[in-house]
Amino acid sequence: MQDKTWREKEILWIGSAYDDLVGFPEEPRRDAGFQLSKVQVGLEPDDWKPFDDVGAGTREIRIRDADGIFRVMYVAKFEEAVYVLHCFQKKTQATSKRDKDIAAERYRAVVNTRRSKP
């Protein structure tokens, strides 16, 4: 029988994602950290939606606060880590093309890096 012991996945920050998250106001930053800790142990964040047009398995954590609307795009489908692709504050109802492009480019970089590992 296979051992089902769960381990906490490492979080790997892609590009400027960590610095961008650190730039969030205090409450949204704390909430984002809490939601990511849930993802690390295999749980669902409180408010999320799939964002497969960025890349298969990409999800977006949605945070609403008095300071605004914030998003954390990540992919957790890989065994070794949770990859945080992009953290940003939404300014409009729809996610901007620029934000989608940044996340998609970082997703491709993750996939290509994983492919090149032996």
Short mmCIF file of all heavy atoms in Angstrom, two decimals, residues 20-63:
data_model
loop_
_atom_site.label_atom_id
_atom_site.label_comp_id
_atom_site.label_asym_id
_atom_site.label_seq_id
_atom_site.Cartn_x
_atom_site.Cartn_y
_atom_site.Cartn_z
N ASP A 20 5.68 41.89 -5.75
CA ASP A 20 4.36 42.47 -6.00
C ASP A 20 3.41 42.19 -4.83
O ASP A 20 2.65 43.06 -4.42
CB ASP A 20 3.78 41.93 -7.31
CG ASP A 20 4.61 42.33 -8.52
OD1 ASP A 20 5.34 43.34 -8.44
OD2 ASP A 20 4.53 41.63 -9.55
N LEU A 21 3.47 40.97 -4.28
CA LEU A 21 2.63 40.64 -3.14
C LEU A 21 3.02 41.46 -1.91
O LEU A 21 2.15 41.98 -1.20
CB LEU A 21 2.71 39.15 -2.81
CG LEU A 21 1.87 38.71 -1.61
CD1 LEU A 21 0.38 38.89 -1.88
CD2 LEU A 21 2.19 37.29 -1.23
N VAL A 22 4.31 41.62 -1.69
CA VAL A 22 4.79 42.42 -0.56
C VAL A 22 4.29 43.86 -0.67
O VAL A 22 4.07 44.53 0.33
CB VAL A 22 6.33 42.35 -0.46
CG1 VAL A 22 6.88 43.37 0.52
CG2 VAL A 22 6.76 40.95 -0.05
N GLY A 23 4.04 44.32 -1.89
CA GLY A 23 3.54 45.67 -2.13
C GLY A 23 2.05 45.85 -1.85
O GLY A 23 1.55 46.97 -1.85
N PHE A 24 1.32 44.75 -1.60
CA PHE A 24 -0.09 44.85 -1.27
C PHE A 24 -0.24 45.55 0.09
O PHE A 24 0.64 45.43 0.94
CB PHE A 24 -0.73 43.46 -1.13
CG PHE A 24 -1.06 42.73 -2.39
CD1 PHE A 24 -0.61 43.15 -3.64
CD2 PHE A 24 -1.81 41.57 -2.33
CE1 PHE A 24 -0.92 42.44 -4.79
CE2 PHE A 24 -2.14 40.85 -3.47
CZ PHE A 24 -1.69 41.30 -4.71
N PRO A 25 -1.37 46.21 0.33
CA PRO A 25 -1.64 46.72 1.68
C PRO A 25 -1.67 45.55 2.68
O PRO A 25 -1.85 44.38 2.29
CB PRO A 25 -3.03 47.36 1.55
CG PRO A 25 -3.18 47.64 0.10
CD PRO A 25 -2.42 46.58 -0.62
N GLU A 26 -1.52 45.84 3.96
CA GLU A 26 -1.33 44.81 4.98
C GLU A 26 -2.40 43.72 4.99
O GLU A 26 -2.08 42.53 4.98
CB GLU A 26 -1.23 45.44 6.37
CG GLU A 26 -0.93 44.42 7.44
CD GLU A 26 -0.76 45.01 8.83
OE1 GLU A 26 -0.80 46.25 8.97
OE2 GLU A 26 -0.59 44.22 9.76
N GLU A 27 -3.67 44.09 5.05
CA GLU A 27 -4.72 43.07 5.16
C GLU A 27 -4.79 42.15 3.93
O GLU A 27 -4.84 40.94 4.08
CB GLU A 27 -6.08 43.71 5.46
CG GLU A 27 -6.22 44.14 6.91
CD GLU A 27 -5.97 43.01 7.91
OE1 GLU A 27 -6.52 41.90 7.74
OE2 GLU A 27 -5.20 43.23 8.86
N PRO A 28 -4.83 42.71 2.71
CA PRO A 28 -4.83 41.81 1.54
C PRO A 28 -3.57 40.94 1.47
O PRO A 28 -3.64 39.78 1.07
CB PRO A 28 -4.91 42.77 0.34
CG PRO A 28 -5.47 44.03 0.89
CD PRO A 28 -5.01 44.11 2.31
N ARG A 29 -2.43 41.49 1.89
CA ARG A 29 -1.18 40.72 1.88
C ARG A 29 -1.29 39.54 2.85
O ARG A 29 -0.93 38.41 2.51
CB ARG A 29 0.00 41.62 2.25
CG ARG A 29 1.35 40.91 2.19
CD ARG A 29 2.51 41.83 2.49
NE ARG A 29 2.48 42.24 3.89
CZ ARG A 29 2.37 43.50 4.32
NH1 ARG A 29 2.29 44.50 3.46
NH2 ARG A 29 2.37 43.78 5.60
N ARG A 30 -1.80 39.79 4.06
CA ARG A 30 -1.96 38.71 5.04
C ARG A 30 -2.94 37.66 4.53
O ARG A 30 -2.72 36.46 4.70
CB ARG A 30 -2.46 39.26 6.37
CG ARG A 30 -1.40 39.94 7.16
CD ARG A 30 -1.98 40.37 8.48
NE ARG A 30 -1.07 41.26 9.17
CZ ARG A 30 -1.00 41.38 10.48
NH1 ARG A 30 -1.81 40.69 11.23
NH2 ARG A 30 -0.16 42.22 11.01
N ASP A 31 -4.05 38.13 3.96
CA ASP A 31 -5.05 37.19 3.44
C ASP A 31 -4.45 36.33 2.33
O ASP A 31 -4.66 35.13 2.28
CB ASP A 31 -6.29 37.94 2.97
CG ASP A 31 -7.47 37.02 2.71
OD1 ASP A 31 -7.47 35.87 3.23
OD2 ASP A 31 -8.40 37.42 1.99
N ALA A 32 -3.70 36.95 1.44
CA ALA A 32 -3.06 36.20 0.35
C ALA A 32 -2.13 35.14 0.91
O ALA A 32 -2.12 33.99 0.45
CB ALA A 32 -2.30 37.15 -0.58
N GLY A 33 -1.35 35.50 1.91
CA GLY A 33 -0.45 34.53 2.54
C GLY A 33 -1.20 33.37 3.17
O GLY A 33 -0.81 32.21 3.04
N PHE A 34 -2.30 33.69 3.84
CA PHE A 34 -3.12 32.64 4.47
C PHE A 34 -3.71 31.72 3.41
O PHE A 34 -3.69 30.49 3.56
CB PHE A 34 -4.23 33.28 5.31
CG PHE A 34 -5.16 32.28 5.91
CD1 PHE A 34 -4.73 31.45 6.96
CD2 PHE A 34 -6.45 32.14 5.44
CE1 PHE A 34 -5.60 30.51 7.51
CE2 PHE A 34 -7.31 31.20 5.99
CZ PHE A 34 -6.89 30.38 7.02
N GLN A 35 -4.23 32.31 2.33
CA GLN A 35 -4.83 31.49 1.26
C GLN A 35 -3.77 30.60 0.60
O GLN A 35 -4.03 29.43 0.29
CB GLN A 35 -5.51 32.39 0.23
CG GLN A 35 -6.65 33.24 0.77
CD GLN A 35 -7.72 32.44 1.49
OE1 GLN A 35 -8.08 31.35 1.09
NE2 GLN A 35 -8.23 33.00 2.58
N LEU A 36 -2.58 31.14 0.39
CA LEU A 36 -1.50 30.33 -0.21
C LEU A 36 -1.08 29.20 0.73
O LEU A 36 -0.74 28.11 0.27
CB LEU A 36 -0.30 31.20 -0.58
CG LEU A 36 -0.49 32.05 -1.83
CD1 LEU A 36 0.64 33.06 -1.96
CD2 LEU A 36 -0.59 31.18 -3.08
N SER A 37 -1.11 29.44 2.03
CA SER A 37 -0.76 28.37 2.98
C SER A 37 -1.78 27.23 2.90
O SER A 37 -1.42 26.06 3.06
CB SER A 37 -0.62 28.91 4.40
OG SER A 37 -1.86 29.27 4.94
N LYS A 38 -3.03 27.55 2.63
CA LYS A 38 -4.05 26.52 2.44
C LYS A 38 -3.73 25.70 1.19
O LYS A 38 -3.83 24.47 1.21
CB LYS A 38 -5.44 27.15 2.33
CG LYS A 38 -5.94 27.75 3.62
CD LYS A 38 -7.28 28.43 3.47
CE LYS A 38 -8.40 27.42 3.42
NZ LYS A 38 -9.72 28.06 3.54
N VAL A 39 -3.34 26.39 0.11
CA VAL A 39 -3.00 25.70 -1.14
C VAL A 39 -1.81 24.77 -0.92
O VAL A 39 -1.78 23.65 -1.44
CB VAL A 39 -2.71 26.72 -2.26
CG1 VAL A 39 -2.20 26.03 -3.52
CG2 VAL A 39 -3.97 27.55 -2.57
N GLN A 40 -0.83 25.22 -0.13
CA GLN A 40 0.36 24.41 0.14
C GLN A 40 0.05 23.04 0.73
O GLN A 40 0.78 22.09 0.49
CB GLN A 40 1.28 25.14 1.13
CG GLN A 40 2.15 26.19 0.53
CD GLN A 40 3.08 26.76 1.58
OE1 GLN A 40 2.65 27.54 2.43
NE2 GLN A 40 4.33 26.36 1.53
N VAL A 41 -1.01 22.96 1.51
CA VAL A 41 -1.36 21.69 2.15
C VAL A 41 -2.50 20.97 1.44
O VAL A 41 -3.07 20.02 1.97
CB VAL A 41 -1.67 21.86 3.65
CG1 VAL A 41 -0.44 22.36 4.40
CG2 VAL A 41 -2.86 22.77 3.89
N GLY A 42 -2.84 21.43 0.23
CA GLY A 42 -3.82 20.73 -0.59
C GLY A 42 -5.26 21.17 -0.40
O GLY A 42 -6.17 20.52 -0.91
N LEU A 43 -5.48 22.27 0.30
CA LEU A 43 -6.84 22.78 0.49
C LEU A 43 -7.17 23.85 -0.55
O LEU A 43 -6.27 24.41 -1.17
CB LEU A 43 -6.98 23.38 1.89
CG LEU A 43 -6.72 22.43 3.05
CD1 LEU A 43 -6.74 23.19 4.38
CD2 LEU A 43 -7.73 21.30 3.07
N GLU A 44 -8.45 24.12 -0.70
CA GLU A 44 -8.89 25.17 -1.61
C GLU A 44 -8.84 26.53 -0.91
O GLU A 44 -9.20 26.63 0.26
CB GLU A 44 -10.34 24.93 -2.05
CG GLU A 44 -10.58 23.61 -2.74
CD GLU A 44 -10.01 23.55 -4.13
OE1 GLU A 44 -9.77 24.61 -4.74
OE2 GLU A 44 -9.80 22.43 -4.62
N PRO A 45 -8.45 27.58 -1.64
CA PRO A 45 -8.56 28.93 -1.06
C PRO A 45 -10.05 29.26 -0.86
O PRO A 45 -10.92 28.63 -1.46
CB PRO A 45 -7.96 29.85 -2.12
CG PRO A 45 -7.32 28.97 -3.12
CD PRO A 45 -7.89 27.59 -2.97
N ASP A 46 -10.33 30.27 -0.04
CA ASP A 46 -11.73 30.64 0.24
C ASP A 46 -12.46 31.14 -1.00
O ASP A 46 -13.64 30.85 -1.18
CB ASP A 46 -11.79 31.72 1.33
CG ASP A 46 -11.31 31.20 2.67
OD1 ASP A 46 -11.32 29.97 2.89
OD2 ASP A 46 -10.91 32.03 3.51
N ASP A 47 -11.79 31.92 -1.83
CA ASP A 47 -12.44 32.51 -3.02
C ASP A 47 -11.46 32.42 -4.18
O ASP A 47 -10.43 33.09 -4.18
CB ASP A 47 -12.82 33.97 -2.74
CG ASP A 47 -13.64 34.59 -3.87
OD1 ASP A 47 -13.95 33.89 -4.87
OD2 ASP A 47 -13.95 35.79 -3.77
N TRP A 48 -11.77 31.57 -5.14
CA TRP A 48 -10.86 31.38 -6.28
C TRP A 48 -11.67 31.03 -7.52
O TRP A 48 -12.86 30.70 -7.42
CB TRP A 48 -9.85 30.27 -6.00
CG TRP A 48 -10.46 28.91 -5.89
CD1 TRP A 48 -11.03 28.35 -4.78
CD2 TRP A 48 -10.63 27.95 -6.94
NE1 TRP A 48 -11.52 27.11 -5.07
CE2 TRP A 48 -11.28 26.83 -6.39
CE3 TRP A 48 -10.27 27.92 -8.28
CZ2 TRP A 48 -11.59 25.70 -7.14
CZ3 TRP A 48 -10.58 26.79 -9.04
CH2 TRP A 48 -11.23 25.70 -8.46
N LYS A 49 -11.01 31.14 -8.65
CA LYS A 49 -11.63 30.65 -9.88
C LYS A 49 -10.53 30.12 -10.78
O LYS A 49 -9.37 30.55 -10.69
CB LYS A 49 -12.45 31.73 -10.58
CG LYS A 49 -11.66 32.83 -11.24
CD LYS A 49 -12.58 33.75 -12.01
CE LYS A 49 -11.76 34.69 -12.89
NZ LYS A 49 -12.57 35.47 -13.77
N PRO A 50 -10.89 29.17 -11.65
CA PRO A 50 -9.90 28.65 -12.60
C PRO A 50 -9.54 29.73 -13.61
O PRO A 50 -10.37 30.58 -13.94
CB PRO A 50 -10.60 27.47 -13.27
CG PRO A 50 -12.05 27.67 -13.01
CD PRO A 50 -12.19 28.53 -11.79
N PHE A 51 -8.32 29.72 -14.07
CA PHE A 51 -7.87 30.70 -15.06
C PHE A 51 -7.06 29.98 -16.13
O PHE A 51 -5.89 30.30 -16.39
CB PHE A 51 -7.05 31.81 -14.38
CG PHE A 51 -7.43 33.17 -14.86
CD1 PHE A 51 -8.31 33.96 -14.14
CD2 PHE A 51 -6.91 33.67 -16.05
CE1 PHE A 51 -8.68 35.22 -14.59
CE2 PHE A 51 -7.28 34.93 -16.51
CZ PHE A 51 -8.15 35.70 -15.78
N ASP A 52 -7.69 28.96 -16.76
CA ASP A 52 -7.00 28.09 -17.70
C ASP A 52 -6.53 28.80 -18.98
O ASP A 52 -5.68 28.26 -19.68
CB ASP A 52 -7.88 26.90 -18.08
CG ASP A 52 -7.98 25.89 -16.95
OD1 ASP A 52 -7.02 25.75 -16.18
OD2 ASP A 52 -9.04 25.22 -16.85
N ASP A 53 -7.06 29.99 -19.27
CA ASP A 53 -6.57 30.67 -20.48
C ASP A 53 -5.14 31.18 -20.29
O ASP A 53 -4.45 31.48 -21.26
CB ASP A 53 -7.51 31.77 -20.98
CG ASP A 53 -7.93 32.77 -19.91
OD1 ASP A 53 -7.86 32.42 -18.72
OD2 ASP A 53 -8.32 33.88 -20.28
N VAL A 54 -4.65 31.22 -19.06
CA VAL A 54 -3.25 31.54 -18.78
C VAL A 54 -2.40 30.29 -18.98
O VAL A 54 -1.30 30.34 -19.50
CB VAL A 54 -3.09 32.09 -17.34
CG1 VAL A 54 -1.65 32.03 -16.88
CG2 VAL A 54 -3.61 33.52 -17.27
N GLY A 55 -2.92 29.15 -18.53
CA GLY A 55 -2.25 27.87 -18.65
C GLY A 55 -3.05 26.83 -17.90
O GLY A 55 -3.72 27.16 -16.91
N ALA A 56 -3.00 25.59 -18.35
CA ALA A 56 -3.79 24.52 -17.74
C ALA A 56 -3.49 24.41 -16.25
O ALA A 56 -2.33 24.34 -15.85
CB ALA A 56 -3.51 23.20 -18.43
N GLY A 57 -4.53 24.44 -15.43
CA GLY A 57 -4.37 24.29 -14.00
C GLY A 57 -4.12 25.59 -13.25
O GLY A 57 -4.01 25.58 -12.03
N THR A 58 -4.07 26.71 -13.97
CA THR A 58 -3.85 27.99 -13.30
C THR A 58 -5.13 28.40 -12.57
O THR A 58 -6.24 28.23 -13.08
CB THR A 58 -3.46 29.09 -14.31
OG1 THR A 58 -2.26 28.69 -14.97
CG2 THR A 58 -3.23 30.43 -13.63
N ARG A 59 -4.95 28.93 -11.37
CA ARG A 59 -6.07 29.42 -10.57
C ARG A 59 -5.77 30.84 -10.11
O ARG A 59 -4.61 31.24 -10.03
CB ARG A 59 -6.31 28.53 -9.36
CG ARG A 59 -6.82 27.16 -9.73
CD ARG A 59 -7.05 26.33 -8.52
NE ARG A 59 -7.74 25.11 -8.85
CZ ARG A 59 -8.19 24.26 -7.94
NH1 ARG A 59 -8.03 24.53 -6.65
NH2 ARG A 59 -8.81 23.17 -8.30
N GLU A 60 -6.84 31.53 -9.76
CA GLU A 60 -6.71 32.91 -9.29
C GLU A 60 -7.39 33.02 -7.93
O GLU A 60 -8.57 32.73 -7.80
CB GLU A 60 -7.40 33.82 -10.32
CG GLU A 60 -7.41 35.26 -9.95
CD GLU A 60 -8.18 36.08 -10.97
OE1 GLU A 60 -9.43 36.00 -11.01
OE2 GLU A 60 -7.52 36.81 -11.72
N ILE A 61 -6.60 33.40 -6.91
CA ILE A 61 -7.18 33.70 -5.60
C ILE A 61 -7.74 35.11 -5.67
O ILE A 61 -7.06 36.03 -6.14
CB ILE A 61 -6.11 33.60 -4.49
CG1 ILE A 61 -5.59 32.16 -4.36
CG2 ILE A 61 -6.69 34.09 -3.15
CD1 ILE A 61 -4.41 32.01 -3.44
N ARG A 62 -8.98 35.27 -5.21
CA ARG A 62 -9.65 36.57 -5.28
C ARG A 62 -9.77 37.16 -3.88
O ARG A 62 -10.32 36.52 -2.99
CB ARG A 62 -11.01 36.40 -5.94
CG ARG A 62 -10.84 35.75 -7.30
CD ARG A 62 -12.04 35.45 -8.11
NE ARG A 62 -13.26 35.10 -7.44
CZ ARG A 62 -14.43 35.00 -8.07
NH1 ARG A 62 -14.52 35.25 -9.35
NH2 ARG A 62 -15.51 34.66 -7.42
N ILE A 63 -9.24 38.37 -3.72
CA ILE A 63 -9.25 39.04 -2.42
C ILE A 63 -9.91 40.40 -2.59
O ILE A 63 -9.48 41.19 -3.44
CB ILE A 63 -7.81 39.20 -1.88
CG1 ILE A 63 -7.18 37.82 -1.68
CG2 ILE A 63 -7.80 40.01 -0.59
CD1 ILE A 63 -5.69 37.85 -1.47
#
